[in-house]
Amino acid sequence: MATWSAPGKVFLFGEHAVLYEKPGIALAIRPRVYVTVRKTSHPHHAKSPYIDQCFREFGVKGSVYINSQLPSSSGLGSSAAVTVATLAAINDEFDMGRSKEQIAELAWKIEKKVQKGRASATDTTVSTYGGMFLIKEGTRKRLAPQNYHLVIGNSQISHSTSRMVEKVAEMKSKHPAIINPVLDSIEAIVMDAMKHLDEPAYLGKLMDMNHCLLEMLGVGHPQLSRLVLAARSTGAFGAKITGAGGGGCMVALAPKNIRARIAGAIEVFDGRAIITCIDTEGLRKE
Ligand code: PMV
């Protein structure tokens, strides 16, 4: 029996734009997903195309038990965390001898297959290695982890990442003269953020701008706007949608001493709050 865990992720900047050759900044967060794999003659596991695909890639059969502290389909990268941890647990249980690098690559390949080609390497990279990354197409640059205090607000509105990705593609083909500059502006935000990673107050302003641009891409939702405004008006440095949008989660960057107050405000507006920080550990054997 082998148990491995992997963290969730948030996009600080650049979701959606990363699918158009733009850079993005994402980081690993607690909570994480725990996956146990066991060789058995009667394999069974939860119905999941990601898990099916993990076994198919390795050409083995086994049982899987998942303990996830990450809400699923909320934009916190739970499918990538499950995929990465399942691959690592199979690799361990069946002595397949794959490196972390190979697991990250395989996990991205599985995400692309299950999500029909439209998945950046962000979630699988961040979940495998932990910490913070600048992601651009297939490349990654590890960034020095910062002591950010984050408050996530889950709108509890279900959304579909692929539907949101399609929506942005439609917007872009209908209004290229408007949407292309929006994507360029998101890129400019990422490049500016790279020079100010140790200045949360500055980054907060950039997050507010990135949020507006995501709304222009058509992935806003009234409930996400409420949570973002609740966080800002309670003293967050900045707040934005994180992930695909249209529901799912927002993230606020906050001064340490008011995290709880921001979480309270998010809950008042019917969100589920998670107070968290960067998880510098990626895949971990339990
Ligand atoms: O729902 P999430 O967190 O997996 O967000 C998807 C982010 C996108 O940029 C829209 C897609 C991707 O694969 O990066």
Side-chain angles (χ1 to χ4, degrees):
M1 196 166 87
T3 301
W4 285 71
S5 70
K9 71 99 204 5
V10 292
F11 265 99
L12 210 49
F13 302 105
E15 50 274 90
H16 288 288
V18 291
L19 296 177
Y20 298 94
E21 297 159 30
K22 306 292 187 198
I25 297 174
L27 46 91
I29 49 153
R30 298 184 189 100
R32 43 178 61 224
V33 170
Y34 297 79
V35 178
T36 300
V37 168
R38 194 152 53 93
K39 276 186 201 165
T40 51
S41 44
H42 303 293
H44 70 95
H45 55 76
K47 258 198 156 69
S48 154
Y50 295 95
I51 296 175
D52 290 344
Q53 208 54 47
C54 289
F55 279 99
R56 210 162 293 149
E57 286 293 337
F58 278 120
V60 295
K61 289 197 162 81
S63 290
V64 181
Y65 174 73
I66 294 176
N67 177 6
S68 178
Q69 301 166 346
L70 267 176
S72 62
S73 303
S74 60
L76 298 181
S78 71
S79 65
V82 165
T83 306
V84 161
T86 303
L87 288 172
I90 297 173
N91 185 48
D92 187 7
E93 175 73 350
F94 291 86
D95 283 325
M96 309 299 276
R98 303 291 166 90
S99 65
K100 227 183 202 187
E101 184 80 23
Q102 287 171 317
I103 285 174
E105 275 300 313
L106 206 48
W108 185 27
K109 183 175 148 190
I110 290 171
E111 284 243 308
K112 280 190 287 193
K113 194 175 270 181
V114 176
Q115 293 171 24
K116 314 241 175 329
R118 288 190 172 156
S120 69
T122 315
D123 293 22
T124 46
T125 300
V126 167
S127 193
T128 302
Y129 299 104
M132 181 156 75
F133 284 91
L134 174 74
I135 305 279
K136 189 172 178 196
E137 295 179 89
T139 67
R140 62 168 191 270
K141 179 176 190 263
R142 184 182 274 286
L143 306 173
Q146 306 286 331
N147 193 18
Y148 297 149
H149 300 290
L150 302 166
V151 185
I152 290 165
N154 184 351
S155 69
Q156 302 184 84
I157 309 267
S158 70
H159 70 159
S160 145
T161 296
S162 58
R163 177 71 203 104
M164 289 300 120
V165 168
E166 249 170 58
K167 200 168 173 193
V168 174
E170 280 164 23
M171 288 284 275
K172 187 168 150 45
S173 71
K174 235 188 223 167
H175 309 284
I178 301 168
I179 298 302
N180 290 335
V182 170
L183 296 171
D184 291 341
S185 291
I186 294 176
E187 177 174 33
I189 286 174
V190 171
M191 298 329 286
D192 197 24
M194 285 294 291
K195 295 183 220 140
H196 299 274
L197 289 175
D198 57 351
E199 295 169 59
Y202 190 100
L203 292 182
K205 296 277 175 290
L206 296 181
M207 288 169 76
D208 291 349
M209 290 186 227
N210 196 159
H211 179 77
C212 293
L213 296 169
L214 285 166
E215 292 200 319
M216 284 197 68
L217 294 181
V219 302
H221 186 282
Q223 182 56 7
L224 284 171
S225 303
R226 275 181 213 112
L227 302 185
V228 162
L229 293 177
R232 286 183 196 155
S233 60
T234 326
F237 291 128
K240 63 181 271 294
I241 290 165
T242 186
C249 292
M250 49 70 69
V251 63
L253 187 60
K256 186 175 181 190
N257 60 345
I258 57 165
R259 287 174 304 178
R261 219 192 308 156
I262 293 171
I266 286 171
E267 301 261 343
V268 164
F269 284 92
D270 299 325
R272 274 272 164 78
I274 303 174
I275 295 176
T276 189
C277 55
I278 296 188
D279 188 340
T280 52
E281 247 188 312
L283 260 178
R284 183 172 77 200
K285 185 170 166 66
E286 298 297 332

Short mmCIF file of all heavy atoms in Angstrom, two decimals, residues 9 11 14-19 74-77 115 118-120 122-123 159 161 165 242-244, ligand 1:
data_model
loop_
_atom_site.label_atom_id
_atom_site.label_comp_id
_atom_site.label_asym_id
_atom_site.label_seq_id
_atom_site.Cartn_x
_atom_site.Cartn_y
_atom_site.Cartn_z
N LYS A 9 -3.86 24.48 -5.71
CA LYS A 9 -3.17 25.66 -6.23
C LYS A 9 -4.12 26.84 -6.38
O LYS A 9 -5.34 26.65 -6.49
CB LYS A 9 -2.49 25.36 -7.58
CG LYS A 9 -3.47 25.19 -8.76
CD LYS A 9 -3.59 26.43 -9.59
CE LYS A 9 -4.84 26.61 -10.38
NZ LYS A 9 -5.99 25.83 -10.41
N PHE A 11 -4.18 30.51 -8.84
CA PHE A 11 -3.56 31.44 -9.76
C PHE A 11 -3.52 32.79 -9.07
O PHE A 11 -4.56 33.29 -8.64
CB PHE A 11 -4.42 31.60 -11.02
CG PHE A 11 -4.06 30.71 -12.17
CD1 PHE A 11 -4.75 29.54 -12.40
CD2 PHE A 11 -3.03 31.07 -13.02
CE1 PHE A 11 -4.43 28.73 -13.48
CE2 PHE A 11 -2.70 30.28 -14.11
CZ PHE A 11 -3.40 29.10 -14.34
N GLY A 14 -3.02 35.59 -14.23
CA GLY A 14 -2.82 35.03 -15.56
C GLY A 14 -3.67 33.86 -16.01
O GLY A 14 -3.44 33.34 -17.10
N GLU A 15 -4.66 33.43 -15.18
CA GLU A 15 -5.51 32.34 -15.67
C GLU A 15 -6.18 32.77 -16.98
O GLU A 15 -6.38 33.96 -17.22
CB GLU A 15 -6.58 31.90 -14.65
CG GLU A 15 -7.42 32.98 -14.03
CD GLU A 15 -6.73 33.59 -12.82
OE1 GLU A 15 -5.98 34.57 -13.05
OE2 GLU A 15 -6.95 33.15 -11.70
N HIS A 16 -6.55 31.82 -17.77
CA HIS A 16 -7.09 32.01 -19.13
C HIS A 16 -6.03 32.54 -20.10
O HIS A 16 -5.81 31.94 -21.14
CB HIS A 16 -8.34 32.90 -19.16
CG HIS A 16 -9.54 32.20 -18.61
ND1 HIS A 16 -10.16 31.18 -19.29
CD2 HIS A 16 -10.19 32.32 -17.42
CE1 HIS A 16 -11.17 30.71 -18.55
NE2 HIS A 16 -11.20 31.38 -17.42
N ALA A 17 -5.34 33.63 -19.72
CA ALA A 17 -4.31 34.17 -20.63
C ALA A 17 -3.23 33.12 -20.89
O ALA A 17 -2.64 33.08 -21.98
CB ALA A 17 -3.71 35.44 -20.04
N VAL A 18 -2.98 32.23 -19.89
CA VAL A 18 -1.94 31.20 -20.08
C VAL A 18 -2.27 30.26 -21.24
O VAL A 18 -1.39 29.58 -21.75
CB VAL A 18 -1.67 30.34 -18.80
CG1 VAL A 18 -1.00 31.16 -17.72
CG2 VAL A 18 -2.94 29.69 -18.29
N LEU A 19 -3.54 30.23 -21.62
CA LEU A 19 -3.91 29.36 -22.76
C LEU A 19 -3.64 30.07 -24.09
O LEU A 19 -3.84 29.49 -25.15
CB LEU A 19 -5.38 28.94 -22.66
CG LEU A 19 -5.73 28.06 -21.45
CD1 LEU A 19 -7.22 27.78 -21.42
CD2 LEU A 19 -4.95 26.76 -21.47
N SER A 74 -13.73 23.62 -8.02
CA SER A 74 -13.86 24.97 -7.50
C SER A 74 -12.75 25.88 -7.99
O SER A 74 -12.66 27.03 -7.60
CB SER A 74 -13.88 24.95 -5.98
OG SER A 74 -12.67 24.40 -5.52
N GLY A 75 -11.83 25.34 -8.82
CA GLY A 75 -10.73 26.16 -9.32
C GLY A 75 -9.49 26.07 -8.46
O GLY A 75 -8.56 26.85 -8.63
N LEU A 76 -9.48 25.13 -7.52
CA LEU A 76 -8.29 25.00 -6.65
C LEU A 76 -7.40 23.83 -7.09
O LEU A 76 -6.55 23.36 -6.33
CB LEU A 76 -8.72 24.84 -5.18
CG LEU A 76 -9.50 26.03 -4.60
CD1 LEU A 76 -9.84 25.78 -3.14
CD2 LEU A 76 -8.73 27.34 -4.74
N GLY A 77 -7.62 23.36 -8.30
CA GLY A 77 -6.71 22.35 -8.86
C GLY A 77 -6.87 20.96 -8.27
O GLY A 77 -5.89 20.21 -8.22
N GLN A 115 -9.31 16.83 -20.47
CA GLN A 115 -9.94 18.14 -20.74
C GLN A 115 -9.90 18.49 -22.23
O GLN A 115 -10.02 19.65 -22.59
CB GLN A 115 -9.27 19.22 -19.89
CG GLN A 115 -9.53 19.03 -18.40
CD GLN A 115 -8.70 19.95 -17.52
OE1 GLN A 115 -8.26 21.01 -17.95
NE2 GLN A 115 -8.48 19.54 -16.29
N ARG A 118 -7.35 21.30 -23.75
CA ARG A 118 -7.27 22.67 -23.25
C ARG A 118 -6.90 22.72 -21.77
O ARG A 118 -7.75 22.94 -20.91
CB ARG A 118 -8.61 23.36 -23.46
CG ARG A 118 -8.84 23.66 -24.91
CD ARG A 118 -10.03 24.53 -25.02
NE ARG A 118 -10.20 25.01 -26.37
CZ ARG A 118 -11.36 25.39 -26.83
NH1 ARG A 118 -12.42 25.35 -26.07
NH2 ARG A 118 -11.46 25.83 -28.06
N ALA A 119 -5.65 22.48 -21.47
CA ALA A 119 -5.20 22.58 -20.09
C ALA A 119 -3.76 23.07 -20.10
O ALA A 119 -2.93 22.52 -20.83
CB ALA A 119 -5.30 21.24 -19.38
N SER A 120 -3.49 24.10 -19.32
CA SER A 120 -2.10 24.54 -19.21
C SER A 120 -1.39 23.61 -18.23
O SER A 120 -2.03 22.82 -17.53
CB SER A 120 -2.06 25.98 -18.70
OG SER A 120 -2.48 26.04 -17.36
N THR A 122 -0.07 24.49 -15.61
CA THR A 122 -0.01 25.17 -14.31
C THR A 122 -0.34 24.27 -13.14
O THR A 122 0.46 24.11 -12.21
CB THR A 122 -0.99 26.37 -14.31
OG1 THR A 122 -0.85 27.09 -15.53
CG2 THR A 122 -0.72 27.27 -13.13
N ASP A 123 -1.55 23.68 -13.17
CA ASP A 123 -2.01 22.93 -12.00
C ASP A 123 -1.09 21.75 -11.68
O ASP A 123 -0.72 21.53 -10.53
CB ASP A 123 -3.43 22.38 -12.24
CG ASP A 123 -4.46 23.48 -12.33
OD1 ASP A 123 -4.09 24.63 -12.62
OD2 ASP A 123 -5.66 23.19 -12.11
N HIS A 159 -19.15 25.37 -11.53
CA HIS A 159 -18.78 25.92 -12.82
C HIS A 159 -18.04 24.84 -13.60
O HIS A 159 -17.62 23.84 -13.04
CB HIS A 159 -17.90 27.16 -12.64
CG HIS A 159 -16.53 26.85 -12.12
ND1 HIS A 159 -15.46 27.68 -12.28
CD2 HIS A 159 -16.05 25.77 -11.45
CE1 HIS A 159 -14.40 27.14 -11.73
NE2 HIS A 159 -14.73 25.98 -11.22
N THR A 161 -14.79 24.35 -16.01
CA THR A 161 -13.60 24.99 -16.55
C THR A 161 -13.66 25.00 -18.08
O THR A 161 -13.39 26.02 -18.71
CB THR A 161 -12.32 24.26 -16.06
OG1 THR A 161 -12.26 24.41 -14.64
CG2 THR A 161 -11.06 24.84 -16.67
N VAL A 165 -13.46 28.17 -20.57
CA VAL A 165 -12.38 28.28 -21.56
C VAL A 165 -12.99 28.52 -22.95
O VAL A 165 -12.52 29.37 -23.71
CB VAL A 165 -11.51 26.99 -21.53
CG1 VAL A 165 -10.57 26.92 -22.73
CG2 VAL A 165 -10.70 26.94 -20.23
N THR A 242 -10.00 33.39 -8.94
CA THR A 242 -8.85 32.53 -9.21
C THR A 242 -9.33 31.28 -9.93
O THR A 242 -10.36 30.71 -9.56
CB THR A 242 -8.05 32.19 -7.93
OG1 THR A 242 -6.88 31.47 -8.30
CG2 THR A 242 -8.85 31.36 -6.93
N GLY A 243 -8.63 30.91 -11.00
CA GLY A 243 -9.05 29.75 -11.78
C GLY A 243 -9.99 30.17 -12.90
O GLY A 243 -9.96 31.31 -13.37
N ALA A 244 -10.85 29.25 -13.28
CA ALA A 244 -11.64 29.45 -14.49
C ALA A 244 -12.73 30.51 -14.38
O ALA A 244 -13.15 31.09 -15.37
CB ALA A 244 -12.26 28.12 -14.91
O1 PMV B 1 -10.45 25.77 -12.78
P1 PMV B 1 -8.98 25.82 -12.78
O2 PMV B 1 -8.34 26.38 -11.59
O3 PMV B 1 -8.31 24.59 -13.22
O4 PMV B 1 -8.61 26.99 -13.79
C1 PMV B 1 -8.37 26.87 -15.07
C2 PMV B 1 -7.42 27.93 -15.46
C3 PMV B 1 -7.37 28.13 -16.97
O5 PMV B 1 -6.31 29.04 -17.22
C4 PMV B 1 -8.67 28.73 -17.44
C5 PMV B 1 -7.12 26.83 -17.70
C6 PMV B 1 -5.76 26.24 -17.48
O6 PMV B 1 -5.62 25.04 -17.76
O7 PMV B 1 -4.81 26.94 -17.10
#
